[in-house]
Amino acid sequence: MEKRFDPASYEDKWQKRWSEEGFFVAEAPSSRPSFCIMIPPPNVTGNLHAGPALQTTIQDLLTRWKRMSGYNALWLPGTDHAGIATQLMVERQLIEEGTDRQSLGREGFLERAWEWTDQHSGNIRVQLDQLGASCDWTRERFTLEEGLSKAVRSAFVRLYREGLISRGEYMVNWSPGLETAISDLEVDMRPVEGKLYHIAYPVEGSDERIVVATTRPETMLGDTAIAMHPEDDRYAHLRDAVAILPLVGRQVAFVADDVVEREFGTGLVKVTPAHDLTDFELGRRHGLESIQVIDRKGRMTPEAGEQFAGLDRFEAREKVVQMLQEQGYLLKVEDYAHNVGHCQRSGVPIEPMISTQWFMDVEGMAGQALQAVASGDLRLIPDSWNKTWDHWLENIRPWCISRQLWWGHQIPAWYTNSGEVFVAASREEAAELAGTDEITQDPDVLDTWFSSALWPFSTLGWPEETEDFKTFYPTDVLVTGFDIIFFWVARMVMTGMHFTGKTPFHAVHLTGLVRDADGQKMSKTRGNTVDPLELVEEYGADAVRFTLAILDSPGRDIPLDPDRMAGYRSFGNKIWNAVRFSLSRVGSATVQESLDVTELAAPERWILSRLSKTAAEVNERFAEYRFDEACQRLYHFFWGELCDWYIELSKPALAGESPRPQVGEVLLTVLDRSLRLLHPVMPFLTEELWQRLPGREAIHPATICLAPYPVGEEAWRDPVTEERMDVFFQIVAWARNLRAELGIPPRDKATLYISSESSELAAFLGRLEAMALPLLRLDAVHFEAAPDGAHSDVVAGVAVGLVVPERELSLEDRERLMAEREKLRAQHQRTLGLLENKAFLAKAPEKVVDQNRRRLEEILERLEILEAGLAADEPGSS
RNA sequence: GGGAGGUUAGCUCAGUGGAAGAGCACCUGCCUUACACGCAGGGGGUCGUGGGUUCAAAUCCCUCACCUCCCA
């Protein structure tokens, strides 16, 4: 074996073999319990970024763990057609070619979009493979494929017939950048340093001029009223008056409505029903006319007046302001910071606009989703999201599901020449309903998230009652970023419960955001994005996975630090070398399925006990989605216990210097189980090494992927041995520390004295003599009181002494000892104070009191020895 | 304006009532034939502020400060 591990030399090989052998193909039906995760489908033409790499790791970890634990585990992969994102990419390509989608026409454009999709669709799989994802690719899905499109049409028709989807004219968030309506969620509120314009409107038939304040003066061209608060006495006299719109000359009435804030500006506001949501609703209440002065591209319409028509809305603003100024209507301009809705995708300010769109009434479904979390049927992890969940669902508004795009599921609604609408799963059905063939399909497509909302069941064949659906629905857990909790998670829960009566999963593990090493959000503009595949190339997939998993603490973002990753790459190397060492020393020993611990010596019993404890804890932690803690325990066990202690202790036995029974078998058996424990996090390395363990083929399947996940052997647990070994370790650490502090060169030998009042413990330590010698470079260990002149102390209740080559205590040594004395004296004071405190003695549990009594005894003993040592070595005393 | 989270060693973070932890970084010694992506040892923290509950608080409660994010 190579001295250093080289992930690149085996990762591809194993991914290929796993896939060829079909290890990840799930059964339906199955006699085994099912476990299912649906991948959050990445954009079909996209790349896997850091966030999805984290989620991929967690999903794979869970799937592999469950698969090894005997479940019929399915991790279903797939991609999303990503309506707007993909359409934009294709359009950009067209522009580069000097054409555009309009000139290509719908059919031609879709052809190009499919071409683009087909070209890129394999990309995601390549990336998932490189991360070691154990997806069942025989079940791969795409949101725009025929099967899922059928589910989309079916869901749409059903909701329409239930009255939950309808078409109507309403105020929507219009993106002039994309020239489509978008949903509330696709609008970002951004702070803008704007202006507040105070404009005078003359009152007809009087000299009075009233004043309104607005941040959008260009919309005054579409004003159809002035509003005041009904109880605002200042303007009561204007109730029946009429104002004259400057520049336009139109008469506008005054209306009273309690949405008007008396404190804002002058307490009078202009009303533009066609371009503001509040004004729109106000207009409906008061039967006001709507005048659309801004068009789909954000330009002024002819309705805005001759001199404005065709101007961009922001140019129009300047011109309106300038003209108001010239004509003496502009009274004041103030700086005004406020939040303005922007199109998330194109970045341009949203234009509220009245438009005919399809809406989904989600209020009832939201109630079900609220109930699901409240009742515990659905767990959000971490549960700090519960409040956010509730708040959003309680205030939910109808979902605008139509988009003026071409790439997506075309709305299954057809219109007759007279404008009558027929919603049906197919054109034929619609024609039948309409009683005519002269029908035209609605040109709009559905919001991408509409098909995503059906993902957990549409991928399993819904609306058909397929074997897959029966076997895997509802799924178990969803792993995704919190940023799409409403876009996606809530909507899946709503539609899932509506259509299937069940929550589509029982738990949602919401991961934090992956940030760069400095904690900065990754973004293209910052240029600090990290390509997970570059990391895989540099550190190996297992190290990337381990890093992501161990950093995934609930509710916390993940800073991706290359140093950290290098550290876990070293862990891989450590594992490699532990196996390399073992294979070279175990002779003909083989991996055992079980071991009888009663015949084993203390180090063997100890490591098996620790292994069992670790296995039990790791299973527990996984079950609670605490991958960070599980990984920490694995790391600590393998490196801190197996490598640092057990392998070191096994060396004399394996070198034949001091034979102990079954050391090779124990070592191999521990490695077998350790590798299996680590496999869900580090699949490649563990498979590569596990395949080399002699004897594993006799008791296990051909791949570690399907080998049983260790749960911890009760019979191997041995707390007494653990406790005693711990005393031994403490003594070794003490002696090592002393050697280092005294500067005893490694080549110089020393003699250790150990004397314990407990005869069992003394006997136990006595049996470890052979192992202590090389660990500490000792000549001998004597089980008796240390002679005068030895460096003595008390460690874990055991009197110990070390005799080292003649050497005078230096000034530094004395200082160190004196500092130690100060520390002990302080501890003495504190512990004594505690034990003299009557309240403590009366109220603290017996266990804690005892603990402190023992502590005090040991402190006193150590102080005595230390004082003696200092006195004996007093300069000039000898 | 409402809500969530954070404030613990130089950095990034674990740690929900009984003597402050990890990884990395740093310092000192070691190439001890598994591993220098290593071994051994070490330094370093009034656990944001102020109060309260308790025999005992990083941990529970309240105040304030600062940081991040979400919603309006």
Side-chain angles (χ1 to χ4, degrees):
Chain A
M1 280 174 81
E2 295 297 323
K3 194 165 153 182
R4 265 198 200 187
F5 86 135
D6 176 19
S9 68
Y10 54 76
E11 291 190 348
D12 290 350
K13 172 184 81 181
W14 285 116
Q15 185 59 266
K16 192 158 166 260
R17 194 164 309 169
W18 292 332
S19 168
E20 282 168 3
E21 302 277 345
F23 292 148
F24 307 143
V25 178
E27 308 173 340
S30 172
S31 56
R32 293 174 293 153
S34 292
F35 177 81
C36 180
I37 294 182
M38 297 296 172
I39 203 169
N43 290 0
V44 63
T45 64
N47 276 308
L48 216 55
H49 300 299
L54 164 67
Q55 288 137 25
T56 296
T57 298
I58 302 299
Q59 290 170 83
D60 192 52
L61 193 157
L62 283 166
T63 308
R64 285 181 186 269
W65 171 54
K66 285 291 184 179
R67 187 183 292 119
M68 291 175 79
S69 300
Y71 285 79
N72 175 36
L74 168 63
W75 181 16
L76 190 147
T79 48
D80 193 289
H81 66 280
I84 293 175
T86 308
Q87 173 153 340
L88 283 180
M89 273 193 268
V90 177
E91 284 192 75
R92 205 170 303 146
Q93 200 189 23
L94 294 178
I95 286 166
E96 273 172 30
E97 293 169 16
T99 173
D100 59 33
R101 73 170 159 127
Q102 307 300 341
S103 34
L104 236 65
R106 186 171 192 134
E107 229 168 275
F109 177 82
L110 287 180
E111 231 169 78
R112 287 296 300 265
W114 274 107
E115 227 173 79
W116 177 266
T117 298
D118 292 339
Q119 262 169 32
H120 293 82
S121 62
N123 202 19
I124 292 291
R125 170 159 190 184
V126 171
Q127 302 186 53
L128 286 171
D129 276 351
Q130 288 190 47
L131 273 168
S134 64
C135 301
D136 180 352
W137 290 99
T138 65
R139 287 181 164 88
E140 183 185 4
R141 296 286 184 274
F142 174 47
T143 49
L144 213 49
E145 71 181 39
E146 185 41 40
L148 269 64
S149 298
K150 198 176 141 202
V152 164
R153 288 193 299 271
S154 171
F156 187 97
V157 171
R158 204 167 137 181
L159 289 167
Y160 178 79
R161 290 184 184 158
E162 289 166 344
L164 294 174
I165 281 182
S166 57
R167 187 164 175 266
E169 191 179 60
Y170 197 75
M171 177 67 68
V172 297
N173 303 298
W174 186 267
S175 167
L178 303 172
E179 291 180 51
T180 177
I182 56 178
S183 72
D184 296 338
L185 280 174
E186 289 161 284
V187 177
D188 275 342
M189 299 305 285
R190 295 184 198 164
V192 168
E193 300 294 328
K195 305 269 188 216
L196 191 62
Y197 301 89
H198 294 253
I199 306 169
Y201 287 22
V203 176
E204 193 177 57
S206 112
D207 291 340
E208 191 176 355
R209 300 208 306 179
I210 56 102
V211 179
V212 297
T214 179
T215 57
R216 301 197 56 195
E218 72 279 12
T219 61
M220 70 166 290
L221 302 172
D223 279 4
T224 53
I226 305 291
M228 67 180 83
H229 193 275
E231 284 150 30
D232 195 337
D233 297 336
R234 291 174 294 175
Y235 305 115
H237 66 286
L238 293 171
R239 283 293 174 80
D240 301 316
V242 168
I244 304 294
L245 210 51
L247 310 187
V248 182
R250 185 161 60 237
Q251 294 185 328
V252 294
F254 287 87
V255 296
D257 196 292
D258 48 23
V259 297
V260 178
E261 286 176 53
R262 274 172 283 188
E263 294 73 29
F264 178 79
T266 56
L268 288 174
V269 295
K270 55 192 272 315
V271 182
T272 321
H275 296 289
D276 182 278
L277 179 60
T278 311
D279 292 5
F280 171 76
E281 284 168 349
L282 195 149
R284 283 216 160 163
R285 282 195 292 277
H286 297 274
L288 299 176
E289 191 191 348
S290 282
I291 300 172
Q292 186 180 340
V293 291
I294 301 171
D295 72 9
R296 301 180 143 219
K297 291 184 190 300
R299 290 182 310 221
M300 306 312 285
T301 63
E303 294 280 323
E306 244 174 65
Q307 67 259 61
F308 299 108
L311 282 183
D312 174 80
R313 53 189 167 148
F314 298 106
E315 291 168 3
R317 179 178 302 175
E318 282 173 37
K319 185 157 184 186
V320 166
V321 169
Q322 189 198 338
M323 288 178 66
L324 286 171
Q325 171 101 53
E326 283 165 9
Q327 297 178 26
Y329 293 111
L330 186 64
L331 303 183
K332 190 164 70 168
V333 182
E334 292 174 299
D335 287 334
Y336 188 70
H338 60 137
N339 287 317
V340 177
H342 284 69
C343 170
Q344 212 169 60
R345 189 64 69 168
S346 67
V348 307
I350 289 301
E351 190 55 58
M353 201 175 281
I354 297 169
S355 157
T356 301
Q357 303 286 347
W358 290 90
F359 292 91
M360 185 163 153
D361 173 4
V362 282
E363 221 177 292
M365 292 183 231
Q368 285 187 290
L370 277 166
Q371 184 54 32
V373 168
S375 69
D377 285 348
L378 177 65
R379 260 184 81 198
L380 302 183
I381 300 158
D383 62 11
S384 52
W385 286 103
N386 288 4
K387 278 198 175 181
T388 312
W389 178 267
D390 291 351
H391 183 257
W392 190 75
L393 287 166
E394 279 161 6
N395 296 288
I396 202 162
R397 298 200 307 164
W399 175 13
C400 175
I401 51 173
S402 44
R403 294 289 179 276
Q404 288 63 57
L405 303 171
W406 287 348
W407 181 241
H409 300 98
Q410 198 170 346
I411 290 173
W414 283 263
Y415 304 95
T416 60
N417 292 334
S418 58
E420 221 182 331
V421 62
F422 293 91
V423 169
S426 66
R427 185 191 169 85
E428 291 69 38
E429 204 187 309
E432 203 174 307
L433 288 172
T436 167
D437 237 5
E438 305 258 300
I439 52 174
T440 324
Q441 187 169 7
D442 191 308
D444 290 351
V445 300
L446 287 165
D447 183 357
T448 300
W449 296 104
F450 187 89
S451 54
S452 309
L454 312 176
W455 184 252
F457 40 101
S458 64
T459 50
L460 293 171
W462 184 91
E464 309 301 325
E465 276 269 318
T466 60
E467 281 301 329
D468 270 8
F469 183 80
K470 284 189 276 188
T471 305
F472 297 109
Y473 192 87
T475 70
D476 291 89
V477 55
L478 178 80
V479 181
T480 191
F482 63 80
D483 49 329
I484 51 175
I485 185 168
F486 302 128
F487 272 111
W488 193 44
V489 182
R491 286 164 176 172
M492 280 192 286
V493 174
M494 291 194 287
T495 61
M497 292 182 80
H498 184 76
F499 287 122
T500 72
K502 292 173 187 160
T503 57
F505 25 76
H506 303 302
V508 183
H509 177 69
L510 294 156
T511 60
L513 220 56
V514 180
R515 297 170 176 275
D516 73 6
D518 301 319
Q520 295 290 311
K521 212 169 175 170
M522 287 188 187
S523 72
K524 276 180 195 152
T525 44
R526 274 204 190 85
N528 62 345
T529 52
V530 173
D531 179 357
L533 297 184
E534 280 175 22
L535 293 174
V536 166
E537 219 164 282
E538 185 165 0
Y539 301 99
D542 292 325
V544 174
R545 292 168 60 114
F546 199 89
T547 308
L548 292 169
I550 203 168
L551 291 178
D552 180 42
S553 290
R556 202 109 193 187
D557 287 344
I558 295 177
L560 212 50
D561 183 353
D563 285 345
R564 187 96 185 215
M565 206 162 283
Y568 295 122
R569 178 182 53 191
S570 304
F571 181 47
N573 195 50
K574 190 75 184 175
I575 298 169
W576 176 270
N577 274 290
V579 172
R580 182 164 79 105
F581 166 79
S582 305
L583 293 180
S584 72
R585 298 291 184 86
V586 295
S588 59
T590 54
V591 173
Q592 299 298 302
E593 188 160 19
S594 62
L595 287 162
D596 181 2
V597 289
T598 56
E599 296 170 30
L600 300 175
E604 282 65 47
R605 295 169 72 133
W606 174 77
I607 194 65
L608 289 171
S609 182
R610 294 303 307 150
L611 171 68
S612 279
K613 181 100 191 292
T614 304
E617 285 178 348
V618 167
N619 277 284
E620 259 169 48
R621 307 281 75 193
F622 278 174
E624 288 162 25
Y625 304 98
R626 288 306 301 265
F627 311 107
D628 56 336
E629 292 184 351
C631 289
Q632 263 164 30
R633 278 164 172 75
L634 286 167
Y635 184 92
H636 179 256
F637 169 75
F638 199 94
W639 200 319
E641 299 187 316
L642 178 56
C643 292
D644 287 351
W645 288 111
Y646 182 70
I647 289 185
E648 290 308 317
L649 292 173
S650 74
K651 279 178 178 174
L654 291 171
E657 292 162 17
S658 172
R660 280 200 317 274
Q662 291 130 12
V663 173
E665 279 183 1
V666 169
L667 184 52
L668 287 175
T669 303
V670 170
L671 283 175
D672 163 40
R673 292 186 186 229
S674 303
L675 292 174
R676 282 190 272 143
L677 279 173
L678 282 160
H679 181 258
V681 207
M682 308 184 98
F684 294 117
L685 173 65
T686 50
E687 177 79 292
E688 176 70 19
L689 293 173
W690 189 78
Q691 293 288 337
R692 305 178 190 223
L693 298 182
R696 57 98 201 139
E697 67 283 352
I699 52 175
H700 288 314
T703 173
I704 194 173
C705 303
L706 302 178
Y709 200 72
V711 289
E713 301 272 352
E714 242 350 274
W716 290 359
R717 295 295 287 278
D718 188 344
V720 174
T721 298
E722 284 199 27
E723 212 173 295
R724 288 174 175 169
M725 283 300 286
D726 196 52
V727 173
F728 174 71
F729 295 146
Q730 284 185 51
I731 293 172
V732 171
W734 168 81
R736 279 172 171 168
N737 168 273
L738 191 63
R739 288 190 64 124
E741 296 287 358
L742 292 174
I744 310 298
R747 289 179 199 294
D748 285 2
K749 299 277 181 166
T751 307
L752 179 65
Y753 291 82
I754 298 176
S755 63
S756 170
E757 283 169 18
S758 153
S759 55
E760 286 107 26
L761 184 58
F764 180 89
L765 294 170
R767 287 191 290 272
L768 295 173
E769 180 181 355
M771 285 158 260
L773 297 176
L775 280 182
L776 286 166
R777 296 170 177 273
L778 300 172
D779 285 322
V781 184
H782 296 300
F783 292 89
E784 57 191 54
D788 288 346
H791 297 269
S792 299
D793 206 337
V794 177
V795 174
V798 177
V800 292
L802 194 70
V803 175
V804 297
E806 194 69 25
R807 189 174 160 283
E808 269 185 29
L809 221 50
S810 70
L811 202 60
E812 281 169 21
D813 293 336
R814 289 191 62 83
E815 273 172 10
R816 179 176 51 79
L817 289 174
M818 272 153 49
E820 181 71 24
R821 183 172 63 182
E822 281 318 300
K823 219 192 252 174
L824 279 173
R825 281 175 176 167
Q827 282 178 18
H828 176 240
Q829 279 310 103
R830 203 173 53 212
T831 314
L832 197 63
L834 208 52
L835 288 168
E836 280 173 350
N837 184 341
K838 283 187 188 137
F840 172 73
L841 294 173
K843 295 195 176 175
E846 197 60 28
K847 203 180 111 192
V848 178
V849 176
D850 270 356
Q851 203 181 343
N852 279 282
R853 287 214 177 95
R854 271 181 273 122
R855 192 175 297 154
L856 185 67
E857 260 176 59
E858 185 162 330
I859 291 170
L860 286 171
E861 207 172 336
R862 293 192 61 202
L863 260 176
E864 200 179 319
I865 293 169
L866 219 150
E867 298 280 13
L870 273 168
D873 210 74
E874 200 72 43
S877 73
S878 54

